[in-house]
Amino acid sequence: MRVVARAGCEVQVSGIDLDTKQVVATFPTPELRAESFEAIRNRGYTVVPRTA
């Protein structure tokens, strides 16, 4: 598991599939999740949220 820290928040990345470009991560707050998804979209990627 990889942890990405930003501004006191930690995003836990539990899986990365380079073939499908799928990343599985856990966000500590809904606000950080929304901000992260927006940044991903701004880079031209598609976000497909999954529910547990």
Side-chain angles (χ1 to χ4, degrees):
M1 182 181 301
R2 182 171 180 222
V3 176
V4 179
R6 179 176 174 269
C9 294
E10 292 183 348
V11 175
Q12 294 185 352
V13 178
S14 59
I16 299 174
D17 185 325
L18 297 177
D19 292 327
T20 63
K21 298 181 183 174
Q22 180 182 38
V23 176
V24 179
T26 304
F27 299 90
T29 66
E31 293 82 11
L32 184 58
R33 181 178 185 252
E35 181 181 334
S36 298
F37 282 10
E38 185 63 26
I40 293 167
R41 288 184 188 102
N42 286 342
R43 297 278 191 223
Y45 293 95
T46 301
V47 175
V48 181
R50 291 176 55 186
T51 56

